[in-house]
Amino acid sequence: MSTETSESAALPPTRPSSTPSRRTFIATTSAAGGVIAAGGLVAGPSLLGVEEAVAAEAPPSSRVSLTVNGKRYTVTVDNRTSLLDLLREHLGLTGSKKGCNAGACGACTVLVDGRRVNSCLTLAVRLEGAAVTTVEGLAKGDQLHPLQQAFIDQDAFQCGYCTPGQIVSGVGCMKEGHTGSAEEIREWMSGNICRCGCYVKIVRAVEQASGRK
């Protein structure tokens, strides 16, 4: 009896080749990509929920007490709140204007403890105990501040958008003693831009209010 095994019996049954064709590979890869994308969509809501939870957390805030135009205020504000936004959005004092919001135009000028500052660049939380004066606080009842009246007398405005900052800056300029000449006034008022070009009349108004005219 022969013990030889035929070659066909020794080899395992022939199977189809496991190497995919180029077309099969591309189709399979595309399908897998769809599964991954679908998986991402399934996981999306949970990630979105985490982001929403983080966004819902209150930003750091602080309480600050300060005096504005002679009235004491205590408010809680986001630590990033500017003095300008505190005045306009929280206290309803909209006289100070938001022009460039970068400290370049002077439309937001107010007095802090008697000194001129750009309120758009000043953090409200740093003004604990400070005294702030805005354009609304210059008049005494129905009696205008001398510089406010001078702006009217000299017709020192056109559109009026920069006028509150110009007037407050002019008052600060007078307090600082920088009104010795027209040239000095122009120099110390140079941080306030008037896009209508009323500079000559603005200087005349400051001169009038300071007693030079």
Side-chain angles (χ1 to χ4, degrees), residues 38-163:
L41 291 175
V42 172
S46 62
L47 295 176
L48 182 60
V50 172
E51 293 175 354
E52 290 177 345
V54 172
E57 293 181 1
S61 60
S62 301
R63 287 172 62 86
V64 58
S65 295
L66 68 168
T67 301
V68 181
N69 299 331
K71 185 176 180 180
R72 189 73 170 176
Y73 294 92
T74 299
V75 293
T76 300
V77 294
D78 184 326
N79 289 348
R80 300 164 294 181
T81 302
S82 68
L83 173 58
L84 178 61
D85 285 337
L86 171 65
L87 295 171
R88 292 180 59 84
E89 307 299 333
H90 294 264
L91 305 184
L93 298 172
T94 57
S96 304
K97 303 304 181 189
K98 181 176 286 190
C100 65
N101 206 34
C105 72
C108 67
T109 303
V110 299
L111 302 178
V112 175
D113 295 331
R115 300 180 61 185
R116 292 178 287 174
V117 301
N118 292 317
S119 59
C120 71
L121 296 183
T122 305
L123 289 176
V125 294
R126 301 190 65 181
L127 298 179
E128 178 66 32
V132 179
T133 302
T134 71
V135 69
E136 291 95 337
L138 295 178
K140 296 181 179 179
D142 294 333
Q143 183 180 356
L144 296 177
H145 186 280
L147 186 54
Q148 291 175 310
Q149 185 61 54
F151 262 68
I152 296 172
D153 296 341
Q154 298 293 337
D155 194 22
F157 50 86
Q158 288 188 37
C159 78
Y161 194 84
C162 75
T163 303

Side-chain angles (χ1 to χ4, degrees), residues 150 153-154 179 181-182 185-186 200-201 203-213:
D153 296 341
Q154 298 293 337
T179 58
S181 65
I185 293 170
R186 283 195 292 268
V200 173
K201 294 181 178 181
V203 171
R204 288 176 183 170
V206 176
E207 288 180 317
Q208 175 182 321
S210 63
R212 292 194 66 249
K213 283 194 174 182

